[in-house]
Amino acid sequence: MQRLLLAIVVVLAALLLARDPYVEKADAFFLDWLLRNTPASGDHVSLTVVEIGGEPTVETQPNQKAPDHSPGSRSSAALSPLEFALFFQAILEFKPTVVAVEPLLKWRERDKDQEQVFLDQAMRVPKLLLSGELTSTPDPDAPPTEIPGFVHVSGRRGDLPTFTGIQRQPDEDLRLISSLSYVNLPDEAKTRVPLLLNYRGEVIPAFALQAFLTWARIPLSEVQIEAGSHITLPDGRKIPINWDGSLTVNPNSSKLGRHFGLNELLLLAQQRQKNPSLESLHDELILARTPSNPLAPADVFAAAIATLQSNHFVRRVSVLFDCAAVLLIALLASHAVRASRVDLVLGLIAFTAAYCLIAFAVMSRYTIWVPGLVPLGTAWLLGLLAFGWPRPKHRAEATEIAASPPTP
């Protein structure tokens, strides 16, 4: 009876943990830890990342660790139009179709004389996507700007990041030769990248989704949005999104594409005839970024674009797994109260290690994440209760030895 009572207490505690709003935040930390330490799954994607302003990088193959960048790398604000002009001149040797620039292009006053050199190169790109930044507190004297959004939208829009004006954007000369998208990110953005934004009541694409749709040649009018659930593309593919319109990505997914530094790209452009494999750059999405971009962690937009291209999305396991895990832990309650306290502690450590290994295996093989707090928290709660549970006392039974009968 006491063991059954302990099992009931364990199940009720698991239900309380599942209903706690802080559990979702704790599971987000567990998911971030899983994703940061799990290599990306999938083949090479049609993405080339060019880092401007940092040290040259060596091209990385899929799932190969990229070199770290020093904290002293320059941000986009310290770059000149001439450096971006060199980037466009080099990349245009491969005749790309879509070039997206992640950092906001705002030049210093002393660099204004180089702006025309940049414009002469940038206007040769067939489809150029530049970044801007929205705000929820715009200048009241500034006229509102119309931004095209999705036509087919259903579901609740109130949970999407809401903005009412434009805070920063490139100059008018750049806006005339390009399309704008917006790089607003939450402060804690690590593995969740916004795909949808709410601008003055209209649902618009964020930078990563806009770059992908431009590369895939999908107009906004052919995309169907179910806010808080999924995005449906014309070919029937569905992109799962969170309640706030963000996409859960593996930060290592950016390694599925190619990475070059600006100096390396300039060298490859001169030796283009000797590298026939680089002719595929014509069909790839070219993403220019700065290693120390203050708006985002390293490669967060590249990881989101690579995830959209690979069609390998991070999904949560079914809630049936949670129920099965809690029931298994409850069944172990009868054995926990009979085990010694040393065996109990060792068993909890072994269970935690085995659960984390299973979580890593499921994530790396199937791109499915399992919850961390409810199963592990329930197991350790059971361990604490069983640790203080009174152990049964074993009494030695007296044995009577019958006397042998006398021999005649």
Side-chain angles (χ1 to χ4, degrees), residues 324-347:
V326 172
L327 289 177
L328 175 62
I329 295 172
L331 292 176
L332 295 176
S334 59
H335 300 281
V337 295
R338 291 185 298 178
S340 66
R341 290 179 172 84
V342 175
D343 293 339
L344 182 62
V345 174
L346 294 177

Side-chain angles (χ1 to χ4, degrees), residues 17-18 23-24 26-31 33-34 315-326 329 351-352 355-356 358-360 362-363 368-378:
L17 283 175
V23 171
E24 183 178 358
D27 269 337
F29 286 108
F30 181 73
L31 176 59
W33 177 68
L34 276 180
R315 303 175 186 270
R316 191 192 188 279
V317 73
S318 172
V319 70
L320 296 177
F321 176 87
D322 302 43
C323 299
V326 172
I329 295 172
F351 176 81
T352 303
Y355 188 86
C356 291
I358 292 173
F360 275 120
V362 173
M363 173 63 74
I368 296 177
W369 69 277
V370 298
L373 184 60
V374 172
L376 294 179
T378 304

Side-chain angles (χ1 to χ4, degrees), residues 12 34 57 65 79 102 170 181 199 218 245 255 264 396:
L12 293 177
L34 276 180
T57 60
K65 184 178 180 180
L79 297 177
E102 177 185 321
S181 192
Y199 176 76
I218 300 177
K255 299 183 180 68
E264 187 181 6

Side-chain angles (χ1 to χ4, degrees), residues 10 53 133 140 165 196 215 247 274 288 291 315:
V10 169
E133 188 175 356
L196 304 176
W215 169 80
L247 175 69
K274 301 179 182 179
R315 303 175 186 270

Side-chain angles (χ1 to χ4, degrees), residues 103-107 115 130-133 166 168-175 178-182:
L104 180 66
L105 299 183
K106 296 291 287 187
W107 312 123
E115 187 173 359
L130 300 181
S131 61
E133 188 175 356
I166 298 178
R168 297 192 302 167
Q169 62 181 349
D171 295 333
E172 185 177 1
D173 292 341
L174 287 176
R175 299 200 300 268
S178 64
S179 300
L180 285 186
S181 192
Y182 301 95

